[in-house]
Amino acid sequence: MKWMFWCMPHAYNWYPSVLVNGSKQSENDPGHVTMEGNSICLTTGLTSAISVGVDTFDVPRIAHHKVLARLKLDKKKPRHFCGIEKKATSCIHVLDKVYAMRARTPTSDGMSGVSFRKIGQDEIRSNLLWDKMFQVFGIDRERATHANNYIEKNLLAILKDNLAGQCSHLKGRLCEKSKKNVQALIDAAAVKAVEVRQGKQE
C-alpha cells in the first residue's frame, strides 16, 4: 500500500453542565457525557499513513466529513489509488468499535454541536460512561469537575475571547456562521447570568 486512512465515526462527547443543565448540579459535578454515532469521519478520529518514498501530494486532500463516502465510492468508480497498482481497493479502514473523545465546549473553533440544550440521562448510565472515560482515556471525575467549574465561572469571558478569534482562518460563510453561533451563546449566557443574580437576590 502507498497510503491508507483510518476513520473513527463515533465519539464520547463531554459537555460542561452550564450548556446542558443551565448550571452545575453540585460542586462535584463533572459535567455530562454522551455517546454519539456518526456516518462521517470525525477530525479527532481521522488518521492517515504514508509508505516510505511516497510523495505526500499523492495522498488525496478530502474534507473529514467527505472522506469516508469518497473513498468508499472508489471501490466502484476509482479516482484515488492507494495500492501499488491502479485498481480498485479499500483505502480506508473504519474503526466502528473504537470511540474518539470530544469536548463540546465554548472554546471550540467551529462551535459545531455547542449550544444551550437539555440532555437527559439516568444516573446508572452516567456512572457507566464515566467509568469508561477513565478506562479508555484516563479522564477522571475530579479533573473533569475542575474543568466544569472553570468553564461555568468564566463562560462569558471564554465566549468573548472565542468571538474575537473567529475568522482568523475561516473565510466567507463559514466565518459568518461560526461568529453567529458564538454571538448567540454570548447573548444566551448574558441572560442566564442576569437570571442567576436575580435568583440570589430573592
Side-chain angles (χ1 to χ4, degrees), residues 191 193-202:
V191 170
V194 171
E195 291 174 348
V196 169
R197 284 198 298 271
Q198 290 176 341
K200 287 181 178 178
Q201 291 172 358
E202 294 173 0

Side-chain angles (χ1 to χ4, degrees), residues 2-202:
K2 294 192 296 183
W3 53 265
M4 175 67 73
F5 281 92
W6 286 264
C7 161
M8 289 184 196
H10 313 311
Y12 293 98
N13 291 329
W14 178 77
Y15 295 89
S17 298
V18 66
L19 294 185
V20 296
N21 294 317
S23 65
K24 58 183 185 289
Q25 303 302 292
S26 70
E27 288 303 313
N28 297 317
D29 185 351
H32 195 89
V33 180
T34 65
M35 290 177 71
E36 178 183 298
N38 295 281
S39 57
I40 63 170
C41 299
L42 304 176
T43 51
T44 49
L46 185 60
T47 302
S48 62
I50 309 171
S51 292
V52 174
V54 175
D55 195 312
T56 56
F57 289 102
D58 289 339
V59 182
R61 267 68 167 174
I62 308 172
H64 78 94
H65 59 285
K66 296 179 179 180
V67 65
L68 183 56
R70 179 61 257 172
L71 293 183
K72 276 188 172 182
L73 189 61
D74 275 354
K75 287 184 179 181
K76 298 178 181 178
K77 298 180 180 179
R79 283 175 52 189
H80 307 101
F81 301 96
C82 56
I84 302 300
E85 298 178 7
K86 285 194 172 184
K87 63 180 182 180
T89 186
S90 179
C91 297
I92 189 164
H93 182 57
V94 179
L95 305 171
D96 260 326
K97 296 183 179 180
V98 181
Y99 280 64
M101 169 64 207
R102 298 193 297 177
R104 317 310 288 156
T105 73
T107 59
S108 169
D109 184 25
M111 298 297 286
S112 175
V114 180
S115 63
F116 288 106
R117 61 175 72 185
K118 283 289 183 182
I119 302 177
Q121 187 176 92
D122 63 81
E123 188 174 351
I124 294 176
R125 179 169 174 76
S126 178
N127 287 335
L128 288 172
L129 286 175
W130 275 110
D131 288 345
K132 204 73 174 176
M133 290 279 283
F134 183 72
Q135 292 167 10
V136 178
F137 302 103
I139 300 172
D140 59 36
R141 289 173 182 251
E142 185 178 348
R143 286 189 292 172
T145 298
H146 178 75
N148 197 36
N149 289 338
Y150 183 88
I151 288 173
E152 179 158 342
K153 183 180 178 181
N154 299 282
L155 180 62
L156 266 175
I158 291 170
L159 286 168
K160 288 177 180 178
D161 185 62
N162 190 331
L163 183 64
Q166 289 294 322
C167 305
S168 58
H169 66 279
L170 294 173
K171 304 297 180 185
R173 290 182 181 178
L174 286 175
C175 161
E176 293 307 315
K177 182 180 179 181
S178 193
K179 283 178 66 176
K180 187 177 179 180
N181 289 343
V182 179
Q183 187 61 57
L185 273 174
I186 289 175
D187 295 342
V191 170
K192 283 183 178 291
V194 171
E195 291 174 348
V196 169
R197 284 198 298 271
Q198 290 176 341
K200 287 181 178 178
Q201 291 172 358
E202 294 173 0

